[in-house]
Amino acid sequence: MTNPPLSRLLVADFSRVLAGPFCTMTLGDLGAEIIKVERPEGDDTRAWGPPFVDDQSTYYLGVNRNKRSIVLDLRDPDDLEVARTLAEHADVLVENFRPGTMAGFGLDEITIRQANPELVYCSISAFGAGAGRELAGYDLLVQALGGLMSITGPDQNSPTKAGVALVDVLAGLFATVGILSALHERERSGVGQRVEVNLMSALLSALANQSSGYVLAEKIPHALGNGHPSIAPYDTYATGGGTLVLAVGTDRQFSDLCSTLDFPQLARDDRFTTNELRVRNRQALRESLERALAPHPAHHWTKALTAHGVPAGAVNDIADAFHLATELGLEPVTNTADGDTRLGRQVANPISLSATPVTYRTRAPHLGEHSTDIRSWLEELESRRETA
């Protein structure tokens, strides 16, 4: 098999919790060697549960595969020297401490770059290194301050967070893109650069049409439940049994929806003939659709509408979602190649590369599992450098 695309890269991972570890796991899936530096207490997420599997937090297990763990107390001079050696030999360094923390240990980009000019140094923060440097970086807080909660939930008076630490994941993905871009530039210039990503900016960018509506038209969006501010019907609807999602994005789809519901006159109603009119009259449209949907349950309408090309589906729970993905041949679950069928059971990386596919080499490491081996390896690298 062809080696993964990043198989020659060494990543010093000083990050913890989610944004940084998600980024480094993605790099690891693409073949990079990830050395996870942990304080003696370990990554915070090791204790975040339940659920646990074999006393290991599934939160931690889900974002730390393809890594080796070394325990280093950066307040200890000997351990700090090991950390510096690692940084000076790395291709990429990822950290998500508060701005200024790494400088306090002499592990900041400027200091390390003197010995390692090729280093790509990635810092992930909550609100940047300026006026927001001292603000706490919790995903929930950023969802609130960044506006996401104001457009999520049943109405304007019930701000609601997303059901996952979405901002951390987005920031991790943006950091991955930035690192890969910097590595590509390094191929041309021979030198590394600094990559900075903050959760606030990542969220504002990812708000997409909602943020552009404000920036371009000064329109402040508000929560619409499951509805869409610019498309209708694009929402959840009650049926004769269960809840149905309709995601009708064109007038042709709306006409097909009405025909399938045996309600063709609805498509000719002056209030609903265009998407703009349907958005303006969304409540009247809801009432008409739910009357038409009432005779049958959601699963009936899912089959009938899908058969006629109308985007529709019942609301799945997570188990249903994985079952559907499996039925569709998407292979959403995989196992690491180390043979650990319990701790190595993983959600598959969604990236599919035809020539150099992602790999799942090892489960998430136990705390300090590779400390001895990594220390010996770094000592050997230093010895080679000194005699070169």
Side-chain angles (χ1 to χ4, degrees):
M1 178 184 293
T2 303
N3 288 331
L6 303 184
S7 58
R8 295 189 301 275
L9 292 177
L10 173 62
V11 177
D13 181 6
F14 285 83
S15 69
R16 72 272 187 226
V17 185
L18 184 52
F22 193 89
C23 166
T24 55
M25 182 180 72
T26 302
L27 297 173
D29 289 353
L30 294 168
E33 169 76 9
I34 313 295
I35 304 298
K36 182 177 179 66
V37 178
E38 298 190 71
R39 59 181 183 169
E41 300 85 354
D43 189 313
D44 304 53
T45 60
R46 288 182 179 275
W48 287 7
F52 295 95
V53 175
D54 293 347
D55 298 323
Q56 300 289 311
S57 160
T58 60
Y59 198 123
Y60 166 79
L61 293 172
V63 290
N64 285 288
R65 62 173 175 256
N66 288 334
K67 303 178 186 182
R68 294 195 292 162
S69 170
I70 181 173
V71 171
L72 295 175
D73 184 348
L74 299 182
R75 296 163 296 184
D76 178 270
D78 292 335
D79 281 5
L80 180 57
E81 186 59 34
V82 174
R84 285 177 179 153
T85 300
L86 174 61
E88 289 174 1
H89 285 278
D91 295 286
V92 177
L93 185 150
V94 178
E95 61 92 9
N96 61 353
F97 291 101
R98 285 192 180 186
T101 300
M102 291 290 274
F105 294 113
L107 294 171
D108 54 293
E109 184 230 354
I110 295 175
T111 301
I112 299 300
R113 190 168 300 287
Q114 296 175 17
N116 186 1
E118 296 183 1
L119 179 67
V120 172
Y121 193 108
C122 178
S123 293
I124 303 172
S125 65
F127 299 97
R133 61 187 293 128
E134 297 301 325
L135 297 177
Y138 290 95
D139 183 276
L140 175 62
L141 181 61
V142 182
Q143 288 198 34
L145 295 176
L148 179 58
M149 291 179 66
S150 76
I151 59 171
T152 307
D155 54 56
Q156 297 183 35
N157 299 316
S158 307
T160 305
K161 74 176 183 68
V164 69
L166 184 64
V167 184
D168 274 327
V169 173
L170 289 167
L173 290 173
F174 280 121
T176 303
V177 173
I179 289 169
L180 294 176
S181 299
L183 288 170
H184 183 69
E185 169 59 24
R186 190 179 75 169
E187 290 292 314
R188 297 186 291 190
S189 67
V191 296
Q193 61 182 290
R194 182 177 181 85
V195 177
E196 292 188 72
V197 173
N198 68 79
L199 273 64
M200 183 72 166
S201 296
L203 174 56
L204 293 178
S205 175
L207 288 176
N209 60 300
Q210 299 283 38
S211 55
S212 65
Y214 168 70
V215 170
L216 291 168
E218 297 187 351
K219 179 176 175 57
I220 300 175
H222 299 287
L224 293 172
N226 293 316
H228 193 287
S230 305
I231 309 172
Y234 198 98
D235 207 331
T236 51
Y237 298 87
T239 70
T243 302
L244 182 74
V245 165
L246 294 175
V248 175
T250 69
D251 293 340
R252 174 62 182 272
Q253 289 177 346
F254 182 65
S255 178
D256 291 341
L257 166 66
C258 297
S259 296
T260 307
L261 296 179
D262 196 22
F263 200 177
Q265 62 271 32
L266 191 64
R268 299 189 295 270
D269 190 308
D270 290 342
R271 297 171 297 173
F272 310 135
T273 53
T274 68
N275 177 71
E276 181 179 355
L277 290 170
R278 293 193 293 273
V279 170
R280 294 182 185 280
N281 297 288
R282 65 171 72 239
Q283 185 55 41
L285 177 62
R286 169 180 293 281
E287 293 170 1
S288 296
L289 287 174
E290 290 188 338
R291 283 198 301 270
L293 292 167
H296 301 288
H299 67 83
H300 167 88
W301 292 118
T302 297
K303 292 179 180 179
L305 292 167
T306 300
H308 287 85
V310 179
V315 178
N316 283 338
D317 62 21
I318 299 295
D320 292 332
F322 272 88
H323 180 69
L324 174 60
T326 301
E327 283 186 337
L328 296 175
L330 301 180
E331 300 181 358
V333 178
T334 189
N335 282 91
T336 53
D338 55 12
D340 193 326
T341 56
R342 283 183 60 78
L343 301 186
R345 186 170 169 81
Q346 294 284 299
V347 180
N349 189 308
I351 300 171
S352 178
L353 298 173
S354 61
T356 54
V358 300
T359 59
Y360 307 92
R361 302 179 299 281
T362 60
R363 55 155 172 78
H366 298 302
L367 179 61
E369 181 175 354
H370 308 96
S371 289
T372 300
D373 291 343
I374 294 171
R375 286 176 181 273
S376 297
W377 175 61
L378 289 173
E379 288 174 3
E380 183 180 346
L381 288 179
E382 274 296 276
S383 177
R384 290 177 183 174
R385 182 165 68 172
E386 291 171 359
T387 58

